[in-house]
Amino acid sequence: MSELVRARVEDHLVRLRMGHVAQRIDAMLSEAARGEPTYLDFLDGLLREEVDSKQRKRVQMGLTIAHFPQARTLEDFDFRFQPSVDQRLVKELSTGRFIALSDNVLIFGPPGVGKTHLAIALGRAVVEAGHTVLFTSATAMIAGLSKAETEGKLGEQLTFLAKPKLLIVDELGYLPFERRSAHLFFQLVARRYERGSILITTNQSVSQWGTVFGDDVLAAAILDRLLHHSHTLTIQGESYRLRQKKRAGLLGREAKAQETEA
Ligand code: ADP
Ligand code: MG
């Protein structure tokens, strides 16, 4: 008889999509027989395991969909090395609250100071907070939009890029845009404006964006929308990559001298 009940419990758990508990039920029952928790504690533990398992799976799926180029977390960002980073703002952003307001985030700074690291780490935190994220580089995004336009599918591609709650565009400004590309970028920003957050990392200060987009008026229109509801992180400091190389003694005296002059 108890075998029958045991089978029915498993069947119900599967039907209720509590797959984790369905698999663990025998172990959980043995543990309960040993520990003799109260009915409430047993139920609490059982439900928590299922919820935790679902959350882990959801985060895993969200990270896959986000297409982060590397795994980076806020825990492994050394804030002491980069004191110019507003740690309180990073912490606030990591709650994902800015997503509900469709606020944008701009991360400025020279190469190697941790812009991409912070972008990925924040993106990950936003996934953990339950939102969809897509990571792309400015170059890859423009190439995608350009290809779609040539194939007469620009609308579809813009819709695709408008869907995630947070779109991360890495490395804006490393290569200047052609006119057509700049216009595609504008369309993307206009499409997401006040509807979904964009996080941009760039090595160019706002005053250089006219040059990046090859057009002051277009750059102003883009900046106007991006900055309207936005948070800015400016990183000033030494490249983390160079520091590591210097420590490992890989840089010659000449490079070291240049660094000190700079
Ligand atoms: P950027 O995008 O500004 O050029 P990255 O984020 O790619 O720089 O950083 C270069 C490398 O150094 C990455 O591997 C990154 O994880 C690491 N890094 C940069 N800054 C830090 C930091 N403050 N703490 C830990 N790792 C860092
Ligand atoms: Mg980078």
Side-chain angles (χ1 to χ4, degrees):
M1 190 62 186
S2 79
E3 266 309 302
L4 207 69
V5 178
R6 159 72 188 70
R8 192 168 63 218
V9 166
E10 188 176 336
D11 186 45
H12 283 158
L13 286 169
V14 170
R15 280 214 222 170
L16 289 167
R17 298 184 195 290
M18 295 177 65
H20 176 80
V21 172
Q23 275 188 0
R24 287 257 303 132
I25 190 68
D26 289 331
M28 291 176 96
L29 287 171
S30 315
E31 276 162 35
R34 260 179 282 126
E36 296 182 10
T38 62
Y39 294 124
L40 187 64
D41 282 343
F42 176 69
L43 189 61
D44 181 43
L46 183 144
L47 293 176
R48 199 177 43 225
E49 274 208 26
E50 186 64 41
V51 167
D52 287 351
S53 157
K54 286 209 160 39
Q55 164 76 356
R56 276 196 303 276
K57 276 192 196 148
R58 206 180 44 71
V59 168
Q60 212 47 54
M61 178 71 83
L63 293 176
T64 308
I65 291 171
H67 282 95
F68 293 120
Q70 300 113 28
R72 290 288 184 276
T73 64
L74 288 175
E75 287 71 43
D76 46 56
F77 190 83
D78 183 358
F79 284 93
R80 277 166 313 170
F81 178 73
Q82 220 57 270
S84 64
V85 176
D86 183 345
Q87 199 173 343
R88 268 178 59 185
L89 177 56
V90 172
K91 209 167 172 198
E92 165 58 29
L93 294 172
S94 73
T95 64
R97 278 193 281 265
F98 72 101
I99 298 289
L101 305 165
S102 297
D103 286 354
N104 298 319
V105 179
L106 286 107
I107 306 181
F108 296 96
V113 293
K115 300 184 298 299
T116 302
H117 185 134
L118 279 180
I120 296 172
L122 282 172
R124 188 189 172 97
V126 168
V127 168
E128 283 167 359
H131 307 286
T132 46
V133 176
L134 178 65
F135 183 104
T136 178
S137 72
T139 317
M141 187 180 83
I142 291 301
L145 284 169
S146 216
K147 182 166 174 276
E149 192 184 38
T150 314
E151 293 169 356
K153 293 180 187 158
L154 181 58
E156 276 169 48
Q157 185 66 7
L158 283 170
T159 304
F160 170 74
L161 292 170
K163 236 174 224 159
K165 285 300 223 173
L166 173 65
L167 179 70
I168 301 178
V169 183
D170 195 29
E171 298 193 335
L172 181 80
Y174 279 82
L175 295 172
F177 287 134
E178 288 168 15
R179 219 194 134 59
R180 181 162 153 260
S181 306
H183 204 260
L184 289 172
F185 193 89
F186 170 75
Q187 280 179 268
L188 185 264
V189 170
R191 175 68 84 91
R192 288 190 66 95
Y193 177 59
E194 292 190 331
R195 272 180 255 168
S197 303
I198 305 182
L199 184 157
I200 288 180
T201 80
T202 177
N203 62 339
Q204 303 288 346
S205 66
V206 162
S207 60
Q208 298 299 314
W209 282 31
T211 316
V212 171
F213 291 105
D215 181 329
D216 285 340
V217 177
L218 197 59
I222 290 170
L223 273 169
D224 192 47
R225 283 162 182 79
L226 282 179
L227 296 176
H228 186 193
H229 311 280
S230 66
H231 307 271
T232 303
L233 285 164
T234 306
I235 316 181
Q236 294 146 337
E238 210 190 332
S239 158
Y240 196 82
R241 291 191 196 103
L242 283 184
R243 181 192 75 151
Q244 281 179 323
K245 283 206 179 126
K246 262 193 267 178
R247 283 205 164 165
L250 292 174
L251 285 185
R253 231 188 269 149
E254 205 180 302
K256 267 190 203 164
Q258 272 176 6
E259 266 281 295
T260 4
E261 275 167 32

